[in-house]
């Protein structure tokens, strides 16, 4: 229910995916209405709250055997305050990354868990801002209650390293102590290797780091997404007091000049941008819809999904691991300009998102790229400092994957020297009438003279809009015919350009937008209609055009 594989056999986990009392609150905290809802969900799925931007309080009685309780929230949109028997135990900002809340030394019996979720816009919120996607409200991803001892395993990271004729796996385990107890030991099993560590806490933590070598492994690839399980067990004397299993894959992703190499083979990325959004359900997408989305995307011949513009639900990433779908995972940001980037909370909220994203999603072999700051300010001095800080932070957390940022500042971008891969969002034939190839050649000249020379290049967004069901012999704008024609022609244009390493269509499915703001108030149906399927995954003509086109383009360049 939380992962697509069993990640604990010893740690007791209880699902709190259930029914809750939900109270709609005024800005002053008075109760305006009371509802029964199920979690995970968006309150926009509750009649009368479809457009509510504010705060709701969720309440639930829980029963426990007592001791130390750890609540794990996989996603609360967009700001959460957690209370246990009325005591505030956690605060978290950002809908798209997990966090935990601890209640220590709890008596056995019934207690009350409350979560106030808040999706309001204000200067305190620098990532969830009015946008061309919707910041929903609610407990939108799973909630788990864990009964833990005086120490527990926080994470187990496995880094696969390709050697000349063999592989190495770097292991890193972080253990948290709730009271310093130095009689603990740790055992980590990876394939047929077993590593033993004596746990010595310092400031409430212990980090175990080691490496193991392997002669022969089954490599993770698009065609054969082979996965392995690593096991960490924490012992007090001979008794196992906690465990954590993690799934990983042996694959190598790197750049070499203009090439992106997956296991030494040069990739041509054929992808889609995908928002976590489904008609009437919002961002609280159930697993079967996640899997259906992968079915539809793979059926077109695509090989990558960009999690535009925020970290995704880990169950979706688990499915991408299992099904050999490449992922560009992106830290939360879309069109954040200098004024917002300069707000007091921006750098901390961005740094927290990046740390939580990489710490929780580190082991997914499907993730081949970390992306940041989609179409943000890439030329003001302070903004460029923010780019530098974010790329440096990613590299400090994970050196095994390349970085990129999708920009639409074609001839004034000052950040091309920072990421490993250069990515552009270009809407020729929709927002502009340029000749796509000539326009891209011009952009490339600027990139090559401004820090991006000899780096792989991607078209991270291109596309056109269509209203599902609007057909026209005249191929008029907003018709399905026009969208199919534009996308088909652009794929044809771009896929023949030798210096490009791939194209990513904007977008997979129609998705809700903040229709009270900016130019998004003119978007029909209050949606971004550039999906090749509508918000219920009904195919437009462009789905068939992409299928016809992508299926003819090989995933690997000669
Ligand atoms: C930008 C942005 C996307 C989407 C797109 C559009 O490129 O990155 O999120 O808003 O424009 O549809 O205009």
């Amino acid at each position: 229910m939380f992962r697509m594989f069993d990640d604990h056999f010893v740690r007791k986990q209880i699902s709190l995916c259930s029914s809750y009392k939900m109270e709609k609150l005024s800005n002053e905290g008075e109760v305006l209405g009371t509802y029964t809802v199920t979690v995970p969900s968006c309150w926009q799925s509750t009649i009368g709250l479809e457009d509510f931007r504010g705060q709701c309080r969720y309440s639930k009685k829980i029963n426990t055997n007592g001791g130390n309780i750890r609540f794990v929230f996989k996603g609360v949109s967009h700001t959460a305050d957690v209370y246990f028997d009325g005591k505030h135990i956690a605060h978290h900002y950002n809908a798209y990354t997990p966090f935990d809340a601890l209640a220590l030394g709890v008596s056995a019996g019934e207690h009350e868990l409350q979560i106030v979720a808040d999706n309001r816009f204000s200067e305190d919120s620098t990532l969830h801002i009015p946008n061309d996607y919707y910041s929903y409200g609610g407990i939108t991803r799973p909630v788990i209650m864990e009964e833990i001892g005086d120490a527990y395993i926080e994470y187990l990271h496995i880094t696969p390293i390709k050697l000349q004729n063999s592989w190495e796996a770097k292991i890193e385990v972080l253990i948290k102590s709730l009271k310093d107890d130095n009689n603990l030991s740790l055992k980590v099993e990876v394939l047929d290797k077993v590593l033993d560590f004596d746990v010595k806490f310092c400031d409430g933590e212990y980090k175990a780091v080691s490496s193991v070598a392997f002669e022969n492994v089954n490599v993770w690839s698009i065609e054969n997404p082979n996965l392995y399980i690593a096991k960490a067990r924490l012992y007090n004397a001979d008794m196992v007091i906690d465990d954590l299993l993690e799934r990983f894959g042996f694959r190598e992703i790197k750049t070499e000049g203009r090439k992106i190499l997956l296991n030494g083979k040069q990739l041509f990325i054929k992808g889609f941008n995908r928002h976590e959004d489904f008609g009437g359900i919002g961002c609280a997408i159930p697993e079967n819809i996640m899997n259906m989305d992968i079915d539809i995307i793979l059926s077109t011949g695509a090989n990558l999904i960009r999690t535009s513009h925020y970290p995704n639900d880990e169950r979706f990433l688990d499915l991408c691991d299992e099904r050999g779908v490449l992922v560009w995972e992106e830290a939360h940001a879309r069109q954040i300009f200098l004024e917002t980037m300069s707000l007091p909370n921006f750098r901390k909220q961005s740094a927290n998102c990046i740390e939580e994203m990489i710490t929780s999603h580190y082991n997914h072999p499907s993730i081949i790229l970390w992306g940041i700051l989609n179409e943000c300010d890439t030329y003001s001095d302070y903004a460029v400092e923010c780019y530098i800080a974010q790329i440096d932070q990613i590299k400090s957390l994970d050196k095994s994957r390349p970085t990129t940022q999708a920009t639409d500042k074609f001839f004034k971008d000052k950040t091309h020297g920072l990421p490993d891969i250069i990515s552009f969002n270009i809407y020729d034939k929709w927002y502009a009438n340029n000749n796509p190839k000539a326009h891209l050649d011009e952009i490339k000249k600027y990139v090559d003279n401004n820090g991006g020379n000899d780096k792989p290049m991607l078209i991270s967004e291109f596309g056109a809009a269509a209203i599902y069901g609007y057909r026209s012999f005249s191929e008029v704008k907003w018709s399905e015919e026009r969208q199919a024609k534009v996308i088909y022609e652009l794929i044809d244009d771009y896929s023949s350009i030798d210096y490009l390493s791939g194209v990513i269509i904007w977008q997979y499915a129609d998705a809700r937008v903040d229709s009270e703001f900016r130019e998004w108030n003119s978007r029909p149906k209050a949606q971004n209609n550039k999906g090749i399927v509508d918000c219920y995954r009904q195919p437009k003509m462009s789905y068939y055009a992409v299928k016809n086109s992508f299926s003819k383009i090989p995933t690997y360049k000669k």
Side-chain angles (χ1 to χ4, degrees), residues 217-235:
V217 296
N218 294 320
V219 166
W220 187 91
S221 68
I222 293 171
E223 300 76 17
N224 297 293
N226 292 301
L227 293 166
Y228 290 93
I229 295 279
K231 298 170 191 154
R233 290 192 185 92
L234 188 59
Y235 289 80

Side-chain angles (χ1 to χ4, degrees), residues 132 275 306 309 334-335 374-375 425 427 431 461 506 523 528 530:
D132 197 23
H275 268 301
R306 178 184 176 211
H309 299 290
R334 179 196 176 280
Q335 287 193 0
N374 177 75
E375 295 191 358
N425 299 343
Y427 285 89
Y431 289 137
E461 291 182 29
W506 186 273
R523 290 210 186 288
N528 182 306
K530 297 188 182 72

Side-chain angles (χ1 to χ4, degrees), residues 34-106:
T34 303
Y35 309 80
T36 296
V37 299
T38 57
V39 162
S41 64
C42 305
W43 65 57
Q44 285 77 8
S45 305
T46 299
I47 306 287
L49 301 182
E50 294 87 346
D51 302 317
F52 179 57
R53 192 164 292 288
Q55 45 181 355
C56 286
R57 179 170 54 226
Y58 294 75
S59 303
K60 184 172 189 55
K61 296 293 188 194
I62 55 109
N63 277 286
T64 169
N65 294 322
N68 296 329
I69 308 292
R70 178 174 183 247
F71 296 100
V72 179
F73 297 90
K74 297 295 187 179
V76 177
S77 191
H78 63 56
T79 296
D81 280 289
V82 183
Y83 300 86
F84 186 77
D85 290 343
K87 180 174 174 257
H88 186 261
I89 61 170
H91 172 84
H92 184 265
Y93 173 77
N94 206 324
Y96 307 114
T97 48
F99 66 99
D100 66 7
L102 296 176
L104 306 182
V106 168

Side-chain angles (χ1 to χ4, degrees), residues 15-164:
S15 168
L16 295 187
C17 300
S18 174
S19 57
Y20 287 67
K21 178 177 82 169
M22 184 182 79
E23 296 164 299
K24 173 185 177 182
L25 304 178
S26 71
N27 291 338
E28 295 68 37
E30 61 182 296
V31 177
L32 302 176
T34 303
Y35 309 80
T36 296
V37 299
T38 57
V39 162
S41 64
C42 305
W43 65 57
Q44 285 77 8
S45 305
T46 299
I47 306 287
L49 301 182
E50 294 87 346
D51 302 317
F52 179 57
R53 192 164 292 288
Q55 45 181 355
C56 286
R57 179 170 54 226
Y58 294 75
S59 303
K60 184 172 189 55
K61 296 293 188 194
I62 55 109
N63 277 286
T64 169
N65 294 322
N68 296 329
I69 308 292
R70 178 174 183 247
F71 296 100
V72 179
F73 297 90
K74 297 295 187 179
V76 177
S77 191
H78 63 56
T79 296
D81 280 289
V82 183
Y83 300 86
F84 186 77
D85 290 343
K87 180 174 174 257
H88 186 261
I89 61 170
H91 172 84
H92 184 265
Y93 173 77
N94 206 324
Y96 307 114
T97 48
F99 66 99
D100 66 7
L102 296 176
L104 306 182
V106 168
S107 60
E110 185 176 89
H111 297 269
E112 184 173 53
L113 173 66
Q114 291 185 305
I115 304 100
V116 176
D118 185 344
N119 76 336
R120 287 174 291 184
F121 295 137
S122 74
E123 287 210 341
D124 295 340
S125 172
T126 64
L127 305 180
H128 285 281
I129 58 177
N131 231 316
D132 197 23
Y133 64 93
Y134 197 78
S135 280
Y136 286 94
I139 304 176
T140 52
R141 294 181 184 169
V143 184
I144 305 152
M145 178 169 78
E146 300 180 336
E147 292 183 351
I148 54 176
D150 291 336
Y152 63 96
I153 303 167
E154 172 91 347
Y155 66 66
L156 160 56
H157 286 168
I158 303 100
T159 310
I161 301 162
K162 177 82 178 64
L163 305 175
Q164 187 70 25

